[in-house]
């Protein structure tokens, strides 16, 4: 049976005014705990969690808003299950944030693990991120028309393996499970093979020399062992259906190949391959290593009191930044937070992405990828071009062309200039036209012209001043890893990692919002509002008092039940 208590239901007196000292109460009200309780708690997906419980039968569950809130706080604080339980049982500021009654609380690790599993299975983290961000943007009246975009690499809780050790650990995990569930099949394997993988995972191949020849020979032996095991158990459903066998077959397929019945280790595997059998979803980035990454979009308008992250898109490490722009824009469109201007580095700012962003009504601002050109050289953008016909009217020196035509299919313009004009032109050395027969000719595509235009703008001081705001997201990436421990997570596996990343970013927004004077004032106002409820849930009378003051006792109300009588007596 589920238990739900509406966080919007106010008390006549806040009992935490007597639990905390006045300075402590002021601090908790002005910190992230006050924002969480007064603004965020009611947004959490408690009703979605309630669908997993019977409405009337069974033992009452933990209050589900408090449960969802504890999961949220656990992830963005980077707590273990034990640390989260201890905070729930003993920490008064967590009780305040979760709208719990002061006093003893009860919760066990098994209950928390079950609720966390339900939270992950229903993929509620992204919903929380959307709701929290939209509410904070609304409460703070943030300007979202200027934003910046970047990605940051994240390591999950897994060891980093070289290729030989990766294959060896995968074999050991398979043999361990085979010995446990199919001891006869395990004993039938060659003794030499069983002994090679008998040591603990961190001691595997410790007796092998470190010279290149020994390591190469070992890698070949391990590859042949993998092939033997994959082939031997491929037609045994009791073994082939197990997760360790599937991991074995997958790693062998990615790392090795069979040519003329001979096993060969691949020279290159690419980044989209298993990095550790304990975390089969993690992939590899050639610059940053194995793991995951998260795409972050953040406001950067100078009028904002604080800047918030508007979108968080977790990915595996192999996903490219260039291909991530559209999912980020879709996410921002879904939450109605699309900017007018998005600043990004060269990983995102290809011509194709600039055109894509324009289709969303977003100006993508950033340097042009590729080699920089001499800003003093002329280019296609220096010609006077008719924007309707796309034909050239005059060259940079003011000379009219002999002929100019535009091919709409190829999106290419061809212009022919007279030799009499180009031969003695003072801009001849800087001009891109080239001799073609008796005349001079220039061909360029629409894409080349757009890139030329962007390169010319990129060389200006106004562009550099405008683009300088993008660098601020680097401090956000650093803060997420330093304060919220996002650089290396406590979990592994796609579902757990994506949940942790998304909730950490949502938690970061709450921390940022708590630094806003406007938000602190709104929290104080919300805390000062109250409504008297009877035990049956009947609202009796609204009232509002300053923080620390009790409401007048001459209110025209009708007490209902012991709670209202007690309040009146006080």
């Amino acid at each position: 049976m589920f238990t739900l208590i509406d966080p919007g239901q106010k008390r006549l007196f806040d009992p935490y005014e007597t639990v905390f000292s006045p300075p402590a109460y002021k601090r908790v009200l002005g910190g992230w705990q006050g924002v969480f309780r007064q603004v965020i708690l009611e947004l959490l997906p408690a009703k979605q969690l309630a669908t997993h419980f019977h409405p009337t039968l069974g033992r009452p569950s933990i209050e589900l808003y408090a449960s969802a809130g504890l999961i949220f706080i656990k992830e963005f604080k980077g707590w273990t299950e034990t640390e989260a339980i201890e905070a729930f049982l003993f920490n008064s500021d967590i009780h305040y944030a979760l709208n719990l009654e002061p006093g003893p609380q009860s919760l066990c690790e098994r209950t928390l693990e079950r609720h966390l599993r339900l939270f992950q299975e229903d993929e509620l983290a992204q919903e929380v991120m959307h709701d929290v961000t939209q509410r904070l943007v609304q409460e703070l009246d943030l300007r979202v028309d200027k934003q910046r975009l970047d990605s940051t690499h994240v390591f999950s809780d897994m060891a980093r393996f070289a290729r030989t050790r990766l294959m060896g650990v995968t074999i050991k995990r398979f043999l361990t499970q085979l010995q446990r569930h199919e001891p006869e099949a395990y004993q039938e394997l060659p003794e030499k093979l069983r002994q090679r993988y008998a040591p603990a995972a961190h001691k595997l191949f410790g007796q092998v020399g470190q010279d290149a020849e020994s390591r190469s020979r070992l890698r070949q032996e391990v590859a042949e062992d993998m092939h033997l095991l994959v082939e031997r158990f491929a037609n045994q459903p009791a073994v082939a259906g197990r997760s360790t066998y599937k991991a074995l077959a997958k790693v062998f397929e990615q790392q090795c190949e069979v040519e003329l019945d001979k096993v060969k280790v691949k020279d290159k595997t690419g980044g989209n391959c298993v990095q550790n059998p304990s975390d089969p979803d993690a992939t590899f980035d050639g610059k940053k290593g194995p793991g995951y990454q998260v795409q972050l979009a953040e406001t950067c308008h100078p009028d904002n009191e604080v800047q918030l992250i508007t979108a968080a898109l977790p990915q595996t490490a192999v996903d490219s930044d260039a291909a991530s722009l559209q999912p980020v824009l879709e996410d921002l469109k879904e939450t109605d937070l699309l900017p007018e201007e998005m600043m990004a580095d060269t990983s995102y700012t290809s011509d194709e992405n600039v055109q894509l962003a324009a289709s969303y009504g977003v100006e993508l601002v950033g340097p042009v990828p590729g080699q920089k050109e001499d800003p003093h050289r002329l280019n296609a953008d220096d010609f006077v071009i008719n924007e309707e016909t796309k034909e050239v009217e005059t060259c940079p020196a003011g000379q009219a062309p002999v002929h100019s035509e535009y091919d709409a299919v190829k999106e290419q313009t061809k212009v022919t200039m007279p030799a009499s004009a180009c031969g003695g032109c003072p801009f001849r050395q800087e001009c891109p036209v080239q001799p073609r027969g008796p005349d001079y000719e220039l061909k360029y595509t629409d894409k080349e012209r757009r890139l030329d235009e962007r390169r010319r703008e990129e060389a200006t001081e106004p562009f550099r001043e405008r683009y300088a705001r993008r660098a601020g997201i680097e401090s956000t990436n650093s803060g997420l890893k330093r304060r919220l421990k996002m650089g290396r997570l406590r979990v592994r596996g796609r579902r757990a990692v994506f949940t942790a990343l998304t909730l950490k970013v949502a938690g970061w927004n709450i921390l940022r919002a708590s630094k806003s004077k406007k938000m602190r004032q709104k929290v104080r106002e919300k805390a000062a509002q109250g409504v008297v409820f009877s035990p049956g849930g009947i609202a009796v009378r609204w009232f509002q008092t300053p923080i620390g003051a009790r409401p007048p006792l001459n209110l025209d109300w009708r007490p209902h039940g012991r709670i209202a009588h007690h309040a009146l007596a006080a």
Side-chain angles (χ1 to χ4, degrees), residues 231-246:
E231 292 293 317
R232 183 162 188 156
F233 296 104
N235 298 321
Q236 299 185 27
V239 177
R242 298 192 180 279
S243 59
T244 52
Y245 177 84
K246 293 178 181 178

Side-chain angles (χ1 to χ4, degrees), residues 13 40 127 252 272 330 339 362 367 478 489 498 514 517 552 557:
F13 304 117
I40 303 302
E127 177 183 335
F252 177 78
N272 192 18
E330 284 292 337
V362 178
S478 176
L489 303 177
F498 281 21
S514 68
K517 293 181 180 179
W557 63 1

Side-chain angles (χ1 to χ4, degrees), residues 318-339:
V318 74
D319 293 321
S320 70
D321 288 344
S324 301
L325 178 66
Q326 185 168 7
V328 171
L329 293 176
E330 284 292 337
D331 188 82
L332 292 170
K333 182 178 179 181
E334 180 182 345
T335 55
D336 198 25
L337 296 175
L338 269 176

Side-chain angles (χ1 to χ4, degrees), residues 59 62 88-89 104-108:
R59 182 179 179 181
I62 178 180
F88 187 87
L89 297 179
Q105 304 296 334
S106 178
L107 181 64
C108 68

Side-chain angles (χ1 to χ4, degrees), residues 9 44 133 205 226 261 275 287 337 376 461 480 519 555:
Q9 177 175 316
L44 299 185
T133 303
F205 317 133
M226 291 192 80
D261 296 330
Q275 302 300 305
K287 295 181 179 179
L337 296 175
H376 301 292
E461 187 62 28
L480 283 165
M519 177 58 73
L555 291 176

Side-chain angles (χ1 to χ4, degrees), residues 219-517:
R219 180 176 296 181
Q220 182 63 31
E221 290 176 351
V222 173
E224 292 174 357
D225 290 342
M226 291 192 80
H227 182 248
L228 183 152
L229 294 171
V230 169
E231 292 293 317
R232 183 162 188 156
F233 296 104
N235 298 321
Q236 299 185 27
V239 177
R242 298 192 180 279
S243 59
T244 52
Y245 177 84
K246 293 178 181 178
L248 183 77
K250 186 174 183 179
V251 170
F252 177 78
E253 180 184 1
Q254 293 172 347
Q255 300 290 338
C256 309
E257 56 188 355
V258 180
E259 295 180 355
L260 302 176
D261 296 330
K262 184 177 180 180
V263 179
K264 178 183 177 182
V265 179
K266 295 180 180 178
D267 294 331
K268 295 182 180 180
T269 61
N272 192 18
C273 60
V274 175
Q275 302 300 305
N276 187 316
S278 297
D279 191 352
D281 300 314
T283 56
F284 186 80
D285 180 273
K287 295 181 179 179
K288 301 174 182 178
Y292 298 83
Q293 66 182 12
V294 58
Q295 300 288 337
L296 300 175
E298 182 185 42
T299 62
C300 60
H301 199 284
D303 293 343
N304 290 340
E305 185 180 5
V306 295
Q307 309 295 349
L308 298 185
I309 296 173
T310 54
L313 181 66
Q315 301 173 322
T316 61
V318 74
D319 293 321
S320 70
D321 288 344
S324 301
L325 178 66
Q326 185 168 7
V328 171
L329 293 176
E330 284 292 337
D331 188 82
L332 292 170
K333 182 178 179 181
E334 180 182 345
T335 55
D336 198 25
L337 296 175
L338 269 176
E340 296 176 3
E341 175 185 303
M342 176 75 81
M343 286 176 284
D345 60 26
T346 54
S347 302
Y348 302 89
T349 54
S350 65
D351 181 71
E352 292 75 14
N353 275 353
V354 170
Q355 301 306 308
L356 173 66
S359 68
Y360 285 85
V362 178
E363 180 187 5
L364 185 62
V365 180
V368 179
Q371 186 177 1
K372 304 302 180 184
E373 296 184 1
D374 184 354
H376 301 292
R377 284 190 59 83
L378 300 176
N379 56 45
D381 190 53
D382 293 305
F383 286 70
V384 178
I385 301 172
N386 187 308
E387 296 300 334
E388 294 183 0
T389 64
K390 302 291 183 70
E391 296 178 357
V392 174
E393 295 180 347
T394 61
C395 74
Q399 299 291 334
V402 175
H403 179 68
S404 178
E405 62 178 351
Y406 176 71
D407 188 333
V409 177
K410 296 181 179 179
E411 295 185 341
Q412 184 183 66
T413 298
K414 177 180 177 181
V415 57
T416 303
M417 299 296 298
S420 58
C422 293
C425 179
F427 304 121
R428 178 68 195 89
Q429 298 302 319
E430 294 83 15
C431 190
V433 297
Q434 297 295 328
R436 291 291 186 273
D439 298 313
Y440 287 77
E441 185 178 275
L442 173 65
K443 290 182 181 180
Y444 62 86
T445 63
D446 290 352
K447 176 180 177 179
E448 290 170 339
R449 184 192 168 199
R450 290 193 296 266
L451 293 176
D452 288 339
E453 181 181 6
R454 289 174 57 198
R455 290 190 183 98
R456 183 58 50 80
E457 180 186 8
E458 183 184 335
T460 64
E461 187 62 28
F463 176 87
R464 285 191 283 269
E465 294 177 357
R466 180 189 187 191
Y467 185 67
R469 290 195 301 272
R470 192 216 73 89
I473 200 170
E474 300 294 348
S475 68
T476 299
N477 293 339
S478 176
L480 283 165
K481 294 180 177 181
R482 185 181 67 257
R483 295 186 60 189
L484 302 188
K485 304 176 184 178
M486 200 174 81
R488 187 175 185 88
L489 303 177
R490 290 182 179 271
V491 296
R492 56 178 173 261
R494 182 187 184 94
R495 180 179 291 171
V497 167
F498 281 21
T499 297
L501 287 176
T502 307
L503 293 182
K504 280 184 182 295
V505 173
W508 175 263
N509 281 346
I510 295 174
L511 293 177
R512 281 273 184 90
S514 68
K515 302 300 181 183
S516 164
K517 293 181 180 179

Side-chain angles (χ1 to χ4, degrees), residues 6-8 36-44 65 135 526:
D6 184 3
F36 196 94
R37 175 175 174 176
Q38 302 296 340
V39 181
I40 303 302
L41 190 60
E42 64 183 9
L43 304 176
L44 299 185
Y65 278 102
R135 173 63 65 85
K526 287 176 180 290

